[in-house]
């Protein structure tokens, strides 16, 4: 029997591990790389999509697509038709700023960086932060090109606010930023404005120890260099960027790694592009998960009916962060559905199927919480407010599997500095483990 104090110590360790994971993952490509490192360290075997797969009973494997989506699984001891797949899904991307192809330009002796808005970030939170960039660069080689990850640990960019003396109504009307003209970041100084792009590419080239001319293309994400931290009187809260949804990715991977020799075949599916609608070759709307499922079932020589029987036995948890009740804004919430920080996983329900939860799948999740001795909460959005969505309904409709939408409660979703509860993260991992064992 573990004591409450042991539970808290364990929860704090898991929360610290989450913050370390996020700080090592400032772009979705880095997030998948962090997941791969953890899986490889635990003996998971990489399966390139282009190769013929060899699967062994009880084996653990992972597949990546496009560098920012990954599916990992461990084959169970029971036959698939008997127990189905136990799957947890989450997304690797977070809303923010992405560099344009010709990002750097000069004006008034400054090198500025043009960005696109990716998904729906709270733009005002990107001002006055210690920003940098991370992502991937395609570098010319003798035989074509190779993809390399790049990350600048120092803060190399910034979006300074306009002084209040020129923006007198900012506290009454809020900070509004024109996405084209007021978002370019300041990167440095230049002798000649025309040299700006060369200077920026030179900076990337130096970091990769290559020539600027060998940079073919890049995808770079703006991130906050400030590390994650604990806060609150008892350090009961955490803050970092990208808690939505790297907290769910970390929980799912931690649970998957913890499960040795499962009865059911357990799957962890992490997708890119959720924040922009999931419709891509690598997103949850694409064929990635069904392709992996088809390859597993065909390798295990299941026929078409056996595959459908397997899917009918399967269960999917769509894990994405939930909106915690903010006491300063009571009118923003449905009065009977306050999700509280450190009070357990939140089951999200929406009659219009913005979430995949049904009464049946919610009941199934509740029984898992009870088994794991974890508290749980139920959330519904205000009826007069538009509700966000997740990968849950997409996966459920594509595969026809039973699915539930859940998440840990958090504050300031889509801010560059989000907050959540220490205990909630360990609760989520515990219930995910219970699901993989079911
Ligand atoms: Co999310």
């Amino acid at each position: 029997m573990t004591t409450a104090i042991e539970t808290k110590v364990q929860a704090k360790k898991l929360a610290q591990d989450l913050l370390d994971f996020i700080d090592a993952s400032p772009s979705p490509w880095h997030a998948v790389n962090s997941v791969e490192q953890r899986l490889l360290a635990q003996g998971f075997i990489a399966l390139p999509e282009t190769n013929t797969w060899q699967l062994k009973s009880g084996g653990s494997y992972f597949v990546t697509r496009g560098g920012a989506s990954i599916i990992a699984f461990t084959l169970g001891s029971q036959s698939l038709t008997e127990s189905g797949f136990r799957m947890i899904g989450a997304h690797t991307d977070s809303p923010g700023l992405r560099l344009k192809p010709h990002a750097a330009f000069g004006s008034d002796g400054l090198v500025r960086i043009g960005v696109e808005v990716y998904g729906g970030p709270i733009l005002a939170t990107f001002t006055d932060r210690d920003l940098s960039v991370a992502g991937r660069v395609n570098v010319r080689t003798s035989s074509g090109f190779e993809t390399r990850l790049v990350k600048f640990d120092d803060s190399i960019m910034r979006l300074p606010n306009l002084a209040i003396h020129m923006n007198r109504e900012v506290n009454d009307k809020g900070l509004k930023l024109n996405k084209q003209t007021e978002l370019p970041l300041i990167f440095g100084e230049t002798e000649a404005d025309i040299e700006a792009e060369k200077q920026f590419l030179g900076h990337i080239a130096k970091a990769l120890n290559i020539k600027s001319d060998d940079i073919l293309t890049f995808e770079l994400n703006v991130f906050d260099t400030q590390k994650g931290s604990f806060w609150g009187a008892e350090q009961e809260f955490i803050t970092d960027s990208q808690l939505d949804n790297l907290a769910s990715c970390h929980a799912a991977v931690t649970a998957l790694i913890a499960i040795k020799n499962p009865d059911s075949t357990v799957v962890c599916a992490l997708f890119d592009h959720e924040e922009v609608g999931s419709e891509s070759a690598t997103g949850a709307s694409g064929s990635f998960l069904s392709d992996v499922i088809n390859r597993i079932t065909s390798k295990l020589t299941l026929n078409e009916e056996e595959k459908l029987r397997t899917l009918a036995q399967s269960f999917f948890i769509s894990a994405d962060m939930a909106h915690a009740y903010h006491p300063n804004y009571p009118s923003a919430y449905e009065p009977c559905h306050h999700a509280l920080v450190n009070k357990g996983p939140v089951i999200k329900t929406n009659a219009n199927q913005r979430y995949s939860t049904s009464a049946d799948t919610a009941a199934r999740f509740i029984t898992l919480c009870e088994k794991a001795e974890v508290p749980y909460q139920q959330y519904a959005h205000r009826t007069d407010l538009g509700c966000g969505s997740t990968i849950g309904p997409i996966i459920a409709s594509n595969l026809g599997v039973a699915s539930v939408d859940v998440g840990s409660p958090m504050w300031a979703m889509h801010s560059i500095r989000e907050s959540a509860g220490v205990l909630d993260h360990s609760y989520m991992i515990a219930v995910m483990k219970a699901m993989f064992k079911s």
Side-chain angles (χ1 to χ4, degrees):
M1 190 72 195
T2 46
T3 65
I5 291 181
E6 282 169 354
T7 306
K8 273 192 183 161
V9 170
Q10 184 56 21
K12 197 132 196 211
K13 265 192 207 155
L14 289 168
Q16 182 62 58
D17 190 53
L18 165 62
L19 299 180
D20 294 343
F21 173 76
I22 292 177
D23 293 337
S25 310
S27 79
W29 306 282
H30 285 83
V32 164
N33 186 254
S34 299
V35 171
E36 282 183 275
Q37 299 311 318
R38 285 174 180 236
L39 295 173
L40 287 168
Q42 297 293 323
F44 281 65
I45 296 164
L47 298 172
E49 283 197 283
T50 46
N51 289 13
T52 305
W53 293 359
Q54 308 291 344
L55 302 183
K56 275 196 209 123
S57 156
S60 293
Y61 305 92
F62 67 88
V63 195
T64 62
R65 186 179 280 189
S69 296
I70 184 165
I71 296 175
F73 58 93
T74 298
L75 296 174
S77 56
Q78 288 178 355
S79 74
L80 278 173
T81 46
E82 254 172 76
S83 60
F85 292 103
R86 298 286 172 276
M87 298 181 277
I88 300 175
H91 63 88
T92 57
D93 60 325
S94 295
L97 305 177
R98 295 280 174 88
L99 271 58
K100 294 174 181 173
H102 287 299
F105 61 99
S107 69
D108 300 290
L110 292 172
V111 180
R112 301 166 69 199
I113 302 294
V115 289
E116 275 192 278
V117 177
Y118 179 84
I122 305 176
L123 287 174
T125 64
F126 284 69
T127 59
D128 301 332
R129 307 292 308 180
D130 302 337
L131 303 178
S132 187
V133 288
R136 58 180 188 164
V137 180
N138 286 316
V139 179
R140 195 193 316 276
T141 62
S142 53
S143 56
F145 68 91
E146 64 179 23
T147 306
R148 309 238 321 245
L149 288 179
V150 67
K151 167 177 181 263
F152 295 93
D153 292 325
D154 292 336
S155 172
I156 58 171
M157 293 180 193
R158 198 167 191 88
L159 179 58
N161 242 299
L162 180 62
I164 196 163
H165 312 79
M166 278 87 100
N167 195 9
R168 290 282 181 196
E169 292 178 317
V170 65
N171 290 327
D172 302 313
K173 297 201 169 157
L175 180 61
K176 287 184 191 142
L177 295 161
N178 179 290
K179 294 188 179 92
Q180 172 62 30
T181 59
E182 294 170 354
L183 280 185
L185 310 170
I186 294 176
F187 168 66
E189 296 170 326
T190 181
E191 298 287 320
D193 288 352
I194 199 159
E195 297 293 309
E197 185 162 28
K198 224 189 217 173
Q199 276 178 238
F200 178 62
L201 292 177
H203 207 77
I204 297 176
K206 197 173 160 205
L208 292 174
N209 202 14
I210 55 168
K211 291 194 298 248
S212 294
D213 287 349
D214 289 334
I215 298 174
L216 292 174
T217 55
F218 56 73
E219 287 183 276
L220 294 172
N221 184 49
V222 174
F223 76 98
D224 188 347
T225 56
Q226 189 180 356
K227 301 266 184 261
S229 61
F230 292 82
W231 62 279
E234 301 291 332
Q235 303 285 283
E236 61 271 63
F237 308 117
I238 49 171
T239 181
D240 209 342
S241 58
Q242 305 185 94
L243 285 170
D244 172 17
N245 194 22
L246 293 187
S248 304
C249 293
H250 177 267
V253 170
T254 304
L256 182 76
I257 283 172
I259 299 300
K260 310 288 179 203
N261 309 311
D263 295 338
S264 306
T265 292
V266 295
V267 182
C268 174
L270 311 178
F271 298 99
D272 193 12
H273 294 152
E274 190 275 344
E275 297 291 354
V276 292
S278 294
E279 294 210 9
S280 70
T282 56
S285 264
S287 63
F288 190 26
L289 182 54
S290 59
D291 288 347
V292 170
I293 284 177
N294 283 336
R295 286 180 79 159
I296 295 173
T297 54
S298 77
K299 281 284 155 191
L300 300 181
T301 64
L302 269 61
N303 64 30
E304 193 58 23
E305 184 177 44
E306 286 165 337
K307 186 189 129 192
L308 293 172
R309 284 173 58 205
T310 297
L311 289 174
Q313 291 274 15
S314 297
F315 188 49
F316 184 80
I317 291 181
S318 161
D320 204 342
M321 301 300 274
H323 298 297
Y325 178 68
H326 191 321
N328 295 12
Y329 303 93
S331 64
Y333 299 87
E334 209 299 311
C336 300
H337 298 85
H338 290 178
L340 304 177
V341 171
N342 282 327
K343 294 288 184 285
V346 179
I347 303 165
K348 305 186 249 181
T349 303
N350 179 264
N352 296 299
Q353 300 304 300
R354 304 288 290 161
Y355 300 133
S356 62
T357 311
S358 69
D360 295 354
T361 58
R364 186 159 173 177
F365 187 78
I366 288 170
T367 61
L368 291 170
C369 288
E370 288 174 351
K371 209 184 256 177
E373 298 183 17
V374 159
Y376 59 89
Q377 320 181 64
Q378 300 229 30
Y379 180 82
H381 214 55
R382 273 187 74 98
T383 316
D384 53 4
L385 271 183
C387 177
S389 194
T390 70
I391 62 166
I394 297 168
I395 299 289
S397 54
N398 282 353
L399 293 181
V401 292
S403 171
V404 66
D405 263 281
V406 305
S408 293
M410 67 175 289
W411 288 305
M413 190 178 286
H414 294 192
S415 164
I416 199 167
R417 199 85 183 153
E418 300 168 326
S419 288
V422 169
L423 284 177
D424 288 322
H425 193 57
S426 63
Y427 290 149
M428 184 58 83
I429 293 169
V431 70
M432 285 176 168
K433 281 193 216 166
M435 186 267 208
F436 280 151
K437 279 187 208 152
S438 68

